[in-house]
């Protein structure tokens, strides 16, 4: 069960597709339940779309309207060995309750900072709202047999809010698609490319890149699409906007950067940052959430206080003005993530499936 899936592309969708690819390749049978109108199959797995509406202000994101009774019927008909909840929030509650009644073990993967995102979109960042959203998150994850967090920092955050049985399960990276060999640029072109890759959405704070747009010799690149696109074109008039890229085009554009910047303060992991690192590109990132674990500040890039655009500018300027430092940090970034293949990461996920199923069988 995933709250987000094709045709909408984001970090959750991309990681679910990698999991499906691994499961099917290794002889497992997978079935996806998701809001919206997805394709009928993906990577050899069956996909069932559920009634939904678009999120206000971001209609590409679908919110499920499926009743608890409908979800329970779907689960009872499938009778899976394990339920995988990908970034659960709306669907998570009824599905985890139905799984409990049916004796089906649940692995919940925490992947989206819903309280942080909701506060960003609704401008309701005050404590009572944030607390209510966290109660919703905890009410889902406390019923799961295990919750998998993408980094140790996020695992500690979940535990501090009262989520039990939290383990770390990182994200993989396609080391063939994202590799320094995809860089095809003339080293003597004199241009330093500073870029953001990801969804153009409010919670990413991409407008903060205005702080570095006028650095001498910098070409600012924005890769991706989303509801903030036109506003960002206004705020960043000198930037080159590529639109949504995939496949070889995304590989080349990522590896062609000299500095990758991630400005969002609500990342539970940030796959785009890891893909930049696998491409041999140093990362300058907001020092919050999963990026605290992913970026080793002063070795594979720089962290800066979230929202502090003056320090952001200093960190980017430091790399823009020192090619050797960029290259050294880029090489260290590549070394840090090149062993995180999806094959190894998804193999660990299947081990978690087997573990929770074994516990349920012993206690049944």
């Amino acid at each position: 069960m995933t709250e987000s899936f094709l045709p909408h592309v984001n970090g959750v969708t991309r990681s679910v597709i990698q999991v499906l690819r691994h499961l099917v390749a290794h002889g497992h049978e997978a079935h996806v339940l998701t809001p919206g109108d997805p394709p009928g199959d993906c990577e050899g797995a069956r996909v069932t779309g559920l009634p939904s509406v678009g999120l206000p202000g971001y209609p590409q994101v679908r919110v499920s309207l499926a009743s608890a009774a409908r979800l329970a019927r779907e689960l009872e008909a499938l009778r899976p060995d394990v339920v995988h909840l990908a970034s659960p929030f709306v669907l998570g509650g009824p599905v985890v309750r139905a799984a409990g009644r049916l004796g089906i073990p649940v692995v919940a993967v925490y992947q989206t900072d819903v309280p942080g995102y909701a506060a960003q979109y609704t401008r309701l960042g005050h404590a009572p709202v944030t607390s209510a959203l966290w109660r919703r998150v905890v009410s889902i994850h406390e019923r799961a047999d295990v919750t998998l967090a993408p980094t140790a920092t996020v695992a500690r955050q979940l535990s501090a809010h009262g989520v039990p049985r939290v383990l770390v399960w990182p994200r993989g990276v396609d080391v063939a698609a994202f590799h320094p060999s995809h860089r095809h640029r003339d080293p003597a072109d004199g241009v330093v490319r500073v870029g953001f890759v990801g969804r153009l959405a409010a919670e990413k704070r991409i407008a903060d890149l205005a702080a570095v747009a006028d650095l001498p010799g910098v070409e600012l690149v924005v890769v991706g699409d989303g509801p903030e696109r036109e506003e960002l074109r206004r705020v960043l008039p000198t930037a080159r906007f590529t639109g949504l890229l995939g496949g070889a085009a995304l590989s080349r554009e990522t590896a062609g950067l000299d500095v990758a910047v991630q400005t969002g303060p609500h990342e539970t992991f940030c796959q785009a940052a890891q893909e930049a690192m696998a491409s041999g590109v140093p990362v300058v990132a907001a020092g919050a959430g999963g990026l605290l674990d992913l970026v080793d500040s002063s070795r594979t890039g720089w962290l800066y206080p979230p929202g502090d655009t003056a320090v952001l500018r200093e960190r980017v300027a430091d790399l823009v003005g020192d090619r050797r430092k960029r290259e050294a940090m880029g090489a260290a970034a590549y070394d840090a993530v090149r062993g995180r293949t999806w094959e190894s990461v998804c193999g660990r996920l299947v081990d978690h499936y087997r573990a929770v199923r074994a516990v349920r069988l012993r206690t049944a």
Side-chain angles (χ1 to χ4, degrees):
M1 188 286 295
T2 175
E3 304 270 357
S4 181
F5 201 60
L6 298 172
H8 181 59
V9 178
N10 60 17
V12 174
T13 300
R14 293 170 69 193
S15 66
V16 169
I17 289 172
Q18 292 289 349
V19 170
L20 296 176
R21 185 175 297 159
H22 179 90
L23 292 174
V24 173
H26 287 265
H28 304 292
E29 186 177 344
H31 192 121
V32 179
L33 299 176
T34 187
D37 187 23
D41 65 271
C42 179
E43 301 292 339
R46 291 178 294 160
V47 183
T48 297
L50 300 169
S52 66
V53 295
L55 184 71
Y58 200 167
Q60 297 94 330
V61 176
R62 309 303 297 178
V63 179
S64 175
L65 295 177
S67 67
R70 162 76 183 272
L71 294 168
R73 288 196 301 271
E74 294 280 358
L75 199 56
E76 190 162 14
L78 290 171
R79 287 283 178 170
D81 295 300
V82 63
V83 170
H84 174 133
L85 299 180
S87 195
F89 192 75
V90 177
L91 285 171
V95 170
V96 77
R97 288 192 295 272
R101 289 194 298 270
L102 295 168
I104 303 169
V106 174
V107 173
V109 178
Y110 184 79
Q111 213 164 334
T112 306
D113 179 9
V114 173
Y117 282 14
Q120 180 76 44
Y121 278 103
T122 64
R123 307 295 192 265
L124 296 174
H126 48 79
V129 172
T130 301
S131 296
L133 293 170
W134 268 111
R135 286 195 298 272
R136 171 71 177 182
V137 171
V138 173
S139 72
I140 296 167
H141 286 269
E142 68 184 359
R143 292 174 178 265
D145 293 72
V146 66
T147 287
L148 302 180
T151 68
T153 294
V154 175
R156 288 192 293 270
Q157 180 188 35
L158 289 168
S159 296
H161 280 281
V163 176
R165 301 176 297 281
V166 181
L167 299 175
V168 174
W169 177 63
R171 300 294 176 269
V173 63
D174 187 335
V175 293
F178 297 96
H179 189 271
S181 63
H182 294 296
R183 184 180 177 92
H184 300 289
R185 285 182 55 196
D186 181 356
D189 65 9
V191 174
V192 180
R193 288 185 183 165
V194 176
F196 169 88
V197 181
R199 287 183 300 111
L200 309 189
E203 76 273 6
K204 303 292 186 178
R205 294 190 63 122
I206 307 162
D208 287 358
L209 290 175
V212 304
D214 65 341
L215 287 173
V218 163
E219 178 191 12
L220 189 60
V221 183
V222 178
V223 180
D225 201 358
E228 295 287 296
R229 179 184 56 202
E230 295 309 316
E231 174 63 14
L232 289 170
R233 284 184 181 275
R234 186 188 66 80
V235 174
L236 305 171
T238 62
R240 175 167 63 87
F241 287 78
T242 71
L244 183 65
L245 299 179
L250 178 59
S251 300
R252 288 193 301 270
E253 200 68 58
T254 301
L257 295 175
D258 295 291
V259 182
V261 181
Q262 288 292 332
T263 46
H266 302 296
E267 301 290 349
T268 59
F269 185 77
C270 193
Q271 186 67 357
Q274 181 166 253
E275 290 168 352
M277 293 170 69
S279 302
V281 180
V283 176
V284 176
L291 285 162
L292 289 168
D293 298 274
L294 186 60
V295 178
D296 186 352
S297 198
S298 82
R299 193 175 77 86
T300 64
W302 287 112
L303 296 171
Y304 69 94
D308 191 331
T309 55
V311 179
L312 165 62
R313 182 182 173 89
E314 290 174 7
R315 296 307 197 196
V316 172
D318 173 69
L319 294 177
V320 166
D322 193 331
R323 179 177 61 83
R324 290 186 177 181
K325 182 181 288 188
R326 291 199 307 270
E327 291 174 350
M329 284 189 170
Y334 170 70
D335 285 339
V337 303
R338 64 179 177 173
R340 300 179 187 178
T341 65
W342 276 111
E343 177 69 18
S344 63
V345 167
C346 289
R348 290 170 61 181
L349 177 63
V350 174
D351 289 341
H352 288 301
Y353 292 165
R354 290 194 173 111
V356 296
R357 187 163 181 259
V359 170
R360 284 295 185 105
L361 290 173
R362 284 198 304 267
T363 59

